[in-house]
Amino acid sequence: MSDFKFLVSRDFSKFSSVYSSGEPFPHIVIDDFLNPSDALIGSREFPSKDESSWVHYSHFNEDKCAITDISKMPNFFRSLVSELNSQDFIKVLENLTGISKLKADPTLQGGGLHLTKRGGFLNIHADFTAHPIQRNWQRRVNLLLYFNDDWKDSYEGQLELWSRDMKNCIHKISPCLNKCVIFNTDSDSFHGVPEPLNCPPEITRNSLALYFYTETE
């Protein structure tokens, strides 16, 4: 079993100015987020597209699959989610983002494991800001971690960050293995994966998504 305790000892505060000055909204891209050996384990243990646990979301805004029930995830991801949702790692996030009193979502509403098949996409959008169940929780931070070994740009699948007026794409981020993207989720933090995947049928775009909140009145 992998041990992710080292994550809570990482000093992301030195990147706080990079994060806060990120364009088009506060964000940071971190390569080699996990130990390389752990990232490879995650890419191997990521559930295949044929697993029955996937819930398929298909409509005009998106075509992807998700597992939000942590009990249906492989042990590797149960352990990883537990560590990333721990109070110790939340302190790491608070030091990076400058946002205090962050809360993890144990129910993983909208998050969890995400898988996109050939032809799948996610239109440019701003995320929901209120938790679907805890209505006084405001969503503040997204964490996306990729598990795609040997991903090629020709497959498309880049995460796009768009200007606040939704007129221009400012950044394209390839979903390569062990790359982590953390960003503020404001009402105008527009992002998505709008280009349909052009990967071979046997390859999928795999990621873990975790969302963090603050409690409001």
Side-chain angles (χ1 to χ4, degrees):
M1 177 63 66
S2 299
D3 183 2
F4 303 110
K5 293 297 184 184
F6 81 97
L7 287 170
V8 303
S9 66
R10 300 190 71 171
D11 182 15
F12 287 161
S13 61
K14 60 186 177 183
F15 301 124
S16 60
S17 60
V18 175
Y19 184 93
S20 62
S21 61
E23 292 292 341
F25 42 81
H27 77 278
I28 194 167
V29 180
I30 303 171
D31 294 316
D32 300 321
F33 184 74
L34 302 177
N35 286 326
S37 58
D38 285 335
L40 286 172
I41 292 171
S43 69
R44 290 197 299 266
E45 295 196 8
F46 202 92
S48 75
K49 59 185 176 65
D50 299 319
E51 288 283 340
S52 60
S53 300
W54 291 109
V55 177
H56 189 195
Y57 298 96
S58 181
H59 51 77
F60 67 93
N61 273 329
E62 65 180 345
D63 186 353
K64 67 177 185 179
C65 302
I67 299 176
T68 59
D69 184 345
I70 195 169
S71 69
K72 295 181 179 179
M73 297 179 186
N75 288 335
F76 174 92
F77 289 101
R78 293 187 199 183
S79 178
L80 178 57
V81 169
S82 176
E83 193 63 33
L84 293 176
N85 276 347
S86 71
Q87 284 301 313
D88 288 336
F89 185 76
I90 285 175
K91 289 297 182 185
V92 173
L93 279 182
E94 290 175 341
N95 289 335
L96 172 66
T97 64
I99 302 173
S100 60
K101 298 182 179 180
L102 287 173
K103 290 177 172 288
D105 176 19
T107 64
L108 303 181
Q109 294 292 315
L113 299 182
H114 289 173
L115 177 148
T116 309
K117 303 176 186 178
R118 177 181 175 89
F121 62 93
L122 177 63
N123 283 339
I124 301 301
H125 66 289
D127 290 320
F128 63 84
T129 56
H131 191 280
I133 299 172
Q134 304 288 346
R135 302 303 294 180
N136 63 328
W137 287 16
Q138 180 184 358
R139 186 163 157 188
R140 305 297 301 277
V141 176
N142 279 13
L143 184 152
L144 307 178
L145 179 58
Y146 297 108
F147 291 92
N148 306 295
D149 196 12
D150 195 27
W151 189 264
K152 296 178 172 54
D153 286 341
S154 60
Y155 295 168
E156 301 295 352
Q158 290 85 3
L159 174 68
E160 298 188 6
L161 308 183
W162 280 59
S163 60
R164 293 184 184 272
D165 59 8
M166 270 197 73
K167 290 184 177 179
N168 299 293
C169 174
I170 306 301
H171 288 298
K172 289 187 177 184
I173 302 164
S174 184
C176 297
L177 178 65
N178 210 12
K179 180 173 291 186
C180 182
V181 186
I182 303 172
F183 60 93
N184 279 16
T185 51
D186 301 317
S187 60
D188 54 1
S189 297
F190 294 110
H191 63 283
V193 187
E195 297 298 326
L197 292 196
N198 190 38
C199 53
E202 69 275 10
I203 292 178
T204 56
R205 182 185 188 273
N206 305 327
S207 63
L208 170 66
L210 298 177
Y211 309 142
F212 300 87
Y213 299 78
T214 54
E215 192 169 349
T216 61
E217 295 295 332

